[in-house]
Amino acid sequence: MFQRTGAYAPVPLGDLMRALWTPYVWFSRRSIVVLIGVQVAVTLGIWLSLRATWLPSPVGIIEAWRQLIVNQGLLPNLLESIRTSLISLVAAGLLSTLIVFLSTAPLFWPFAKFMAALRFLGFAGLTYIFTLLTKNGDDLKVGLLTFGMTVFMTTSLMAEVKAIPQSSIDHCRTLDMHGWRISYELVLRGKLDTILDLVRQNAAVGWTLLTMVEGLVRSSGGVGVMLLNQNRYFNLDGVFAIQITILLYGLLQDWFLGWVRQAVCPYLATE
């Protein structure tokens, strides 16, 4: 294991270079920050030096981003996409948790397995069904996105519940717990940190699906519609500007959901 020789002792360059290529070595947070900064600087240098037609310049992306905000309503469309994403995320989290909680009883287990199997279906074949089930384009977007996240989260959460050891179930029985009380303790309480982590992961999946859903349902706007419009006219500067905007918001959202998980489950900090 790579370690410092003293509290403030400099690390030999040879040891440092070997550590960069060695798995499972100790690296300080400061070293990681420096390493990321160097990689970002190198990447920007290579980007600026390239003259590829398929890769717009940073200056062009910044100008396109300004035009999208001033003239094409990027911020209102981003807020619309965020609203759709958050509503669908909460609905999918609650629905998939309920499905998996009920699946601990034999009566509901086949339905949970069926919901997990639906992850193989594409939106193109489901749009007509959801159109009949919803009242307007906004409900259609939320419905499709909720479905897309629910089936994947149900699959992941079922695997977590299946991994609960029999010893934990037996331990609950020795404490005079029975039936749904065992499910409550082991699934809802025991797997709360896992549920929140899956919500965090599916939030990222939701943004991947959101642009597709907004492309299918254009009536209420969103960054997905703007992204498809920029693609249609081969405006690479605009495409990259929107993609970077989505990336930056996604990283912020991921950090916030991680903070919520840590706040709700403070015992994770001691593990």
Side-chain angles (χ1 to χ4, degrees), residues 143-246:
L144 286 171
L145 191 57
T146 300
F147 170 82
M149 288 191 286
T150 298
V151 293
F152 283 103
M153 188 171 175
T154 299
T155 304
S156 301
L157 191 53
M158 284 187 68
E160 291 291 335
V161 172
K162 186 177 180 181
I164 295 175
Q166 183 64 38
S167 59
S168 298
I169 301 175
D170 294 336
H171 178 67
C172 289
R173 287 171 177 160
T174 62
L175 297 176
D176 201 27
M177 298 181 189
H178 302 282
W180 293 110
R181 176 64 188 278
I182 297 178
S183 297
Y184 170 75
E185 293 293 337
L186 295 182
V187 177
L188 294 186
R189 293 189 62 183
K191 293 292 183 179
L192 179 59
D193 61 314
T194 301
I195 293 172
L196 293 176
D197 190 53
L198 289 175
V199 168
R200 178 184 177 186
Q201 295 177 25
N202 278 270
V205 175
W207 275 95
T208 303
L209 300 174
L210 180 62
T211 53
M212 184 189 308
V213 169
E214 289 179 337
L216 292 172
V217 187
R218 292 172 171 262
S219 58
S220 53
V223 291
V225 177
M226 296 186 67
L227 189 60
L228 290 176
N229 290 338
Q230 298 298 315
N231 268 315
R232 174 182 297 178
Y233 297 105
F234 300 101
N235 185 2
L236 292 181
D237 293 337
V239 170
F240 271 70
I242 295 173
Q243 293 281 43
I244 291 174
T245 301
I246 294 174

Side-chain angles (χ1 to χ4, degrees), residues 14-26:
D15 292 344
L16 180 61
M17 295 304 296
R18 280 194 298 272
L20 291 175
W21 294 92
T22 306
Y24 296 108
V25 297
W26 178 85

